[in-house]
Amino acid sequence: MNDISEKDAAREYAKAWNQLDPEGLADLLSDDVCYASQWVFEELEGKESVAGHLSRKMHAIEASSVNAPL
């Protein structure tokens, strides 16, 4: 278990999405983390599963140029 404040965890979450880089966020995930979303058919369980999903999602967004500067 990481010893991190909610504020610092929220910063890492925002940083991961702003930079489309899940590595720092993945390091903070608990081994028994669960992830649910209306876009995910079944709840994901476990650090490896959730980190992999976030990584694929962020890379797909990056590849689509959705966040490309105007």
Side-chain angles (χ1 to χ4, degrees):
M1 180 92 177
N2 291 305
D3 204 14
I4 186 171
S5 71
E6 282 186 34
K7 187 175 184 178
D8 288 338
R11 282 189 178 129
E12 281 299 319
Y13 180 82
K15 181 180 169 183
W17 280 104
N18 284 329
Q19 297 178 355
L20 295 175
D21 182 3
E23 295 308 313
L25 179 60
D27 291 341
L28 299 177
L29 296 176
S30 173
D31 290 335
D32 61 352
V33 65
C34 294
Y35 179 89
S37 166
Q38 66 185 16
W39 299 104
V40 177
F41 297 119
E42 293 182 18
E43 185 174 285
L44 302 175
E45 297 180 2
K47 183 175 185 170
E48 186 176 315
S49 179
V50 173
H53 171 74
L54 292 174
S55 179
R56 289 186 301 275
K57 187 175 185 92
M58 289 180 188
H59 290 301
I61 291 170
E62 186 175 37
S64 72
S65 300
V66 170
N67 285 352
L70 298 174

